[in-house]
Amino acid sequence: MELGMVGLGKMGANMTVRLVRGGHRVVGFARTKSVVDAVVAQGAVGASSLADLVRQLAPPRAVWLMIPSGAPVDQTLDQLRPLLAPGDTIVDGGNSYYRDTLRRSALVTGWGFRYVDVGTSGGIWGLTEGYSMMVGGDEADVERLRPILETLAPGPKLGWGRMGPVGSGHFVKMVHNGIEYGLMQAYAEGFSVLQGKTDFALDLHQVAEVWRYGSVIRSWLLELTEAALGENPTLAGIEPWVADSGEGRWTVAEALELNIPAPVITLALQARIRSRETDPFAERLLAMMRNKFGGHEVKRES
């Protein structure tokens, strides 16, 4: 099968290479020519523009977007509208908000195109390990993409599936990432407690290595933690600043709307936000409150 890949960041480029190695013809486009050249060197076909990409695909076409969520997706859809023909399929494989996906699907199907959303997990390891893909769309549209999905997945019947109608793929991926926040926070807090017990002089890398086998908390995240601690046991030079890309916030908002408690994910999100505070007003105010009601000492900035 042939596919047009728009967006050749790390994941998009690795997906392109995996598809090429699986025998598919992939036409890739990115705004930076050197990025396109890199996948061409791996066997893909390069495109100089979206129009050039579409021209090199035989109808009915399939164009897969691996670009940042939000405005870039809407802008790319507007650019594709005059280039595609009825029956062509657009796949959003990025981390779009599922409500945006529902809106875009209604818009794109009104133009005569098909729309499929694929929540994709696997990061930089997907090239070798395969990608977990949560797919939303009409059954016929997903079935048409089956050869692509089976090649990208860890196995033809492993790590991917149709979740339901359009929007469901991105919804499931949103919750997936919310769970990821909670798991990461639990590991981080646990290792912090271990590190704080100086009496035992624990080797955190060794602990992570032991936990990787047979333990009920073993996971891929633990494997990555073990690798990180092996490279930098004290995390020297790492600033305690943690970003969030949106999915955790969306998951918390959805939980509130559904009246479903999600305290672990919520607190994990708040911990990330707290990590980015350079001037924590709340803590300074707490110190002053203690000073006012109990005369407790306040530490002054040096």
Side-chain angles (χ1 to χ4, degrees):
M1 184 175 179
E2 65 175 18
L3 179 76
M5 180 69 73
V6 179
L8 299 172
K10 288 182 179 179
M11 185 177 286
N14 284 347
M15 292 174 73
T16 297
V17 173
R18 187 173 176 90
L19 288 170
V20 169
R21 292 176 180 174
H24 301 279
R25 178 177 182 271
V26 184
V27 182
F29 169 70
R31 291 178 298 177
T32 304
K33 184 178 182 300
S34 61
V35 175
V36 178
D37 292 341
V39 296
V40 170
Q42 296 291 322
V45 178
S48 59
S49 65
L50 284 177
D52 185 35
L53 179 142
V54 171
R55 277 195 300 268
Q56 296 189 63
L57 297 173
R61 306 170 185 87
V63 178
W64 189 302
L65 310 183
M66 285 300 293
I67 57 180
S69 62
V73 178
D74 292 308
Q75 293 164 2
T76 303
L77 293 179
D78 288 339
Q79 293 167 11
L80 285 171
R81 181 181 182 182
L83 303 175
L84 297 177
D88 290 347
T89 301
I90 299 174
V91 181
D92 182 358
N95 282 326
S96 290
Y97 185 32
Y98 84 96
R99 294 181 188 269
D100 288 337
T101 299
L102 293 174
R103 170 180 58 80
R104 289 169 184 145
S105 175
L107 185 69
V108 167
T109 54
W111 298 342
F113 312 145
R114 311 303 301 164
Y115 204 73
V116 174
D117 57 295
V118 181
T120 310
S121 180
I124 60 175
W125 298 92
L127 176 59
T128 55
E129 303 297 324
Y131 298 89
S132 172
M133 292 170 293
M134 297 137 267
V135 187
D138 289 347
E139 290 186 28
D141 296 333
V142 175
E143 187 62 29
R144 183 190 163 213
L145 294 169
R146 176 179 288 273
I148 296 291
L149 298 168
E150 289 183 342
T151 301
L152 289 173
K157 296 182 179 180
L158 298 174
W160 80 275
R162 177 179 178 267
M163 303 291 102
V166 170
S168 63
H170 281 153
F171 181 81
V172 174
K173 178 55 163 53
M174 175 189 76
V175 177
H176 164 284
N177 281 29
I179 293 171
E180 179 184 290
Y181 280 37
L183 290 173
M184 292 175 68
Q185 186 67 28
Y187 279 127
E189 291 176 6
F191 277 97
S192 181
V193 173
L194 294 173
Q195 191 266 346
K197 188 63 173 176
T198 56
D199 298 8
F200 292 150
L202 296 170
D203 181 340
L204 301 190
H205 176 247
Q206 180 196 28
V207 172
E209 177 67 15
V210 169
W211 283 353
R212 283 181 56 197
Y213 301 96
S215 165
V216 296
I217 62 169
R218 65 188 184 273
S219 71
W220 186 41
L221 275 175
L222 182 59
E223 292 180 18
L224 298 176
T225 300
E226 180 269 329
L229 291 171
E231 296 167 0
N232 188 351
T234 63
L235 304 183
I238 306 299
E239 185 177 347
W241 194 101
V242 188
D244 73 279
S245 55
E247 294 88 350
R249 294 173 184 245
W250 300 336
T251 303
V252 170
E254 195 71 25
L256 290 172
E257 185 170 325
L258 294 171
N259 287 317
I260 295 175
V264 171
I265 297 173
T266 301
L267 289 174
L269 171 63
Q270 291 176 346
R272 293 190 179 203
I273 295 171
R274 176 63 64 87
S275 78
R276 303 194 293 267
E277 287 192 7
T278 56
D279 186 20
F281 180 84
E283 280 72 13
R284 290 190 285 125
L285 184 56
L286 285 172
M288 288 305 301
M289 288 180 191
R290 293 185 76 249
N291 173 262
K292 291 300 183 185
F293 70 67
H296 301 289
E297 181 183 359
V298 175
K299 293 184 66 174
R300 302 291 179 179
E301 294 178 342
S302 56

